Amino acid sequence: MTTLITQFRTLLARAAAAGSGLLLTCGTLAALAPAALAAPAYPAKPVTLVVPGPPGGITDQLGRLVAARMTSDYGMRVIVDNRPGAGGNLATEIVSRAEPDGYTVLLGTQGTMASNQFLYKSLRFDPAKDFIAAQALVSIPNLLVVNGKLPYQSVRELVAYAKAHPGKLTVSSAGNGTGSHLAAELFQTLAGVKLVHVPYKGSAPSINDLLAGQVDLTFDYPVSTLTQVQAGKLRALAVTGTSRLPALPQVPTISEAGYPGAESTSWIGLFFPARTPAAVVAKWEADVGRMLKEPATVEALQKMGGVPLPLSGEAFRAFVQSERTKWKGTIERAGATLD
């Protein structure tokens, strides 16, 4: 309203100076009114970024990194709303029902947007129809690690033993349907081996039992395993991403180790409710895309064990669809279910 009054006064002053009289002023005001009364620039109020994980986790750290930067850029608060539960489905359902006005954003994951729909039979949202994939943020590979006392020095040695002794080796995971479980299932399919899956309730107990020799190997995030690898208690045989880790330059990728196609990463990106205005989505894509190129952001993501994933718009949407296809087949072959 203040802006409209100011513009009205300016028009009156100009009209008086031009001697055009009230009739000209009213006509000009009528022409200007739609622009003056247009919706305020976005964002005009705080934005909520819904995070499908508890405070302190990787998704939370990433969410707060994005929220802090966008708050600074936009001059308007971006509030992190942690909604853990049901493998991320709780947070995803909340955003699927939100008003598509650009003020509710989801930090979507490989699980919530690609694999959960094949693990759970009773989802109350459709990842493909209820969301717009806007901007990818980070790709986090797993490390294939074995207990440091085991003799395997390479993936091929591990596979050779597994083929000669089917069902002998045990592979732990952070739980049924988690990224570590799915990475192991994909590897078994590509390598042609059969491992005994031992699911745990989280990464920490899985790694603890691996260190104690209760299980033989696992696939888990670098942030969970790197310290133990550097201490010699675990041995890293491969990185499941497409590039080597700067912290472990001597460890090959799974493709370099002889198993192309076994790549698996846990990725995270930004998603909006379907029908969110295209201009709002494009703004976030552009602004966050710039953020991902900055050295400080790259360093922060590397500390989380990941690398920037600079995909936006149609490229990101195509990537998400390819991930759905990939994990659908893996989950069906494994017979995994969480319902």
Side-chain angles (χ1 to χ4, degrees):
M1 182 59 72
T2 301
T3 300
L4 182 57
I5 292 172
T6 301
Q7 292 176 333
F8 179 66
R9 288 173 175 169
T10 301
L11 281 169
L12 286 177
R14 289 177 179 173
S20 55
L22 184 59
L23 184 60
L24 175 61
T25 302
C26 289
T28 308
L29 180 60
L32 183 63
L37 293 173
Y42 174 90
K45 62 180 181 179
V47 178
T48 298
L49 177 60
V50 181
V51 173
I58 290 178
T59 51
D60 178 66
Q61 293 176 41
L62 182 59
R64 294 183 187 280
L65 182 69
V66 173
R69 176 54 185 274
M70 293 303 103
T71 294
S72 176
D73 284 1
Y74 294 158
M76 187 64 67
R77 286 189 66 198
V78 177
I79 303 166
V80 172
D81 182 8
N82 296 93
R83 295 298 184 103
N89 294 337
L90 175 61
T92 309
E93 182 180 347
I94 288 171
V95 178
S96 74
R97 298 180 178 181
E99 186 72 23
D101 56 5
Y103 289 92
T104 306
V105 191
L106 174 69
L107 202 67
T109 68
Q110 177 264 337
T112 62
M113 288 294 153
S115 60
N116 282 4
Q117 60 188 305
F118 309 112
L119 290 166
Y120 295 84
K121 297 178 181 179
S122 57
L123 292 186
R124 290 183 286 187
F125 60 87
D126 186 325
K129 294 180 180 179
D130 295 341
F131 293 92
I132 300 171
Q135 176 67 53
L137 296 171
V138 65
S139 174
I140 305 173
N142 289 298
L143 279 176
L144 165 51
V145 293
V146 298
N147 184 289
K149 295 180 180 179
L150 295 179
Y152 319 115
Q153 300 295 320
S154 69
V155 179
R156 289 195 181 279
E157 288 185 13
L158 176 71
V159 169
Y161 180 87
K163 285 184 175 181
H165 305 84
K168 178 71 172 179
L169 291 177
T170 52
V171 56
S172 64
S173 78
N176 283 314
T178 60
S180 56
H181 176 203
L182 297 182
E185 293 295 343
L186 181 63
F187 172 73
Q188 290 179 78
T189 298
L190 270 295
V193 297
K194 180 61 179 176
L195 309 174
V196 177
H197 176 221
V198 183
Y200 287 80
K201 293 183 178 180
S203 179
S206 166
I207 300 301
N208 286 340
D209 269 10
L210 178 61
L211 290 167
Q214 299 301 312
V215 290
D216 299 310
L217 66 139
T218 195
F219 292 76
D220 212 322
Y221 295 140
V223 71
S224 302
T225 57
L226 184 58
T227 299
Q228 303 297 343
V229 169
Q230 293 172 330
K233 296 180 180 180
L234 297 178
R235 182 180 302 116
L237 301 184
V239 181
T240 64
T242 58
S243 60
R244 297 191 181 196
L245 292 178
L248 296 172
Q250 77 282 8
V251 177
T253 66
I254 197 74
S255 179
E256 292 172 335
Y259 299 92
E263 294 87 358
S264 61
T265 60
S266 294
W267 48 265
I268 304 173
L270 297 173
F271 293 77
F272 286 84
R275 298 178 301 282
T276 296
V280 171
V281 176
K283 180 174 178 61
W284 276 77
E285 290 174 355
D287 296 340
V288 177
R290 282 193 298 272
M291 171 188 169
L292 292 176
K293 297 177 182 178
E294 297 173 358
T297 302
V298 175
E299 181 180 358
L301 296 180
Q302 288 177 342
K303 288 181 178 178
M304 298 178 197
V307 294
L309 185 59
L311 298 175
S312 61
E314 289 303 322
F316 184 32
R317 290 187 269 280
F319 170 78
V320 173
Q321 184 54 48
S322 70
E323 285 285 285
R324 288 171 181 152
T325 301
K326 172 182 179 177
W327 293 117
K328 179 178 186 293
T330 300
I331 290 166
E332 288 177 346
R333 287 192 296 272
T337 180
L338 294 178
D339 273 347

